[in-house]
Amino acid sequence: MNTEYNFNVKKKRPEEEYGKVSDYFRGDILNQYATSKNMMKIQEKITIRALELLDIKKKDALILDAGSGPGFAATYLKEIGYRIVALDIIPEFLYYYEIKELNPITADMCFPPFKPNTFDAIISISALQWIFRDLKDKMMYSMLKNLSISFYKILKPNGRVVIQFYPKNKEIMDNTGKIIVKHTDFSGNFIIDNPNRQKKRKIFLLLNKNRNF
Ligand SMILES: C[S@@+](CC[C@H](N)C(=O)[O-])C[C@H]1O[C@@H](n2cnc3c(N)ncnc32)[C@H](O)[C@@H]1O
């Protein structure tokens, strides 16, 4: 397998163009995202794969959906029997649908307001590129560090995290993993589906609170 994946992204991604996520997801763009049946299907498919990687044994596990948007992943997880907390930094997303049963909460996922040892698992779909995308940016580094420490703290022992995201290149991808592991006792690895088909490629970072897995 070729490990030097082609990251030749020609079009600027929204996070590069806008910087602040709330400057991008607002008005028509927010509405289009939240109401897109196609997007719902795509995000649900990613969630199914993420869940497969998490391999949760407990039927009624409590899962945090970090960067939940309008709740596509969270709704699916709830439907199949998990208990969910849907967290997003943009309140309009969380109140787009009637999702009270997803326990919606407006917060920054780098500072999740929960007690230690709360969640069996954390899932984050297509959000992390908004937090860390520039190796030289100290603020981004410190936000990612904070996210890592917080995720570690709020997970129960043996809890797992799966993060699907869109790093701009392999250097950013690798450094994301390194920074998370450096500041916590997580063990982790990347799982890359369709590594050599850029359009279909999906990158997952799987983290485990127990180093001996
Ligand atoms: C592309 S959307 C994905 C939404 C959802 N996970 C899905 O699969 O449909 C990215 C989401 O990440 C959220 N987000 C970005 N940075 C965040 C942060 N620091 N804290 C919480 N949510 C954040 C955005 O508000 C947005 O809802």
Side-chain angles (χ1 to χ4, degrees), residues 36-72:
S36 166
K37 292 273 176 281
N38 194 35
M39 191 54 76
M40 190 188 286
K41 262 194 228 150
I42 294 169
Q43 300 308 88
E44 193 176 297
K45 211 171 145 196
I46 301 174
T47 306
I48 291 169
R49 176 68 173 133
L51 202 54
E52 196 177 286
L53 297 174
L54 277 178
D55 192 24
I56 301 172
K57 305 283 185 238
K58 206 171 142 192
K59 273 193 180 147
D60 64 343
L62 178 63
I63 304 179
L64 173 65
D65 181 359
S68 64
F72 296 150

Side-chain angles (χ1 to χ4, degrees), residues 104-121:
I105 176 159
T106 306
D108 188 327
M109 64 197 258
C110 303
F111 303 92
F114 307 107
K115 289 187 183 147
N117 300 332
T118 299
F119 295 97
D120 296 290

Side-chain angles (χ1 to χ4, degrees), residues 3 5 7 128 132-133 135 144 165-180 189-192 201-205:
T3 52
Y5 321 116
F7 274 95
L128 192 69
F132 185 73
R133 58 181 177 280
L135 297 173
L144 180 61
F165 68 125
Y166 295 100
K168 191 182 172 193
N169 55 44
K170 187 149 187 312
E171 211 190 348
I172 293 177
M173 177 183 112
D174 289 343
N175 273 282
T176 303
K178 278 185 197 156
I179 294 166
I180 294 176
N189 60 296
F190 283 105
I191 294 102
I192 303 175
R201 184 188 303 144
K202 287 287 170 290
I203 297 174
F204 298 87
L205 176 57

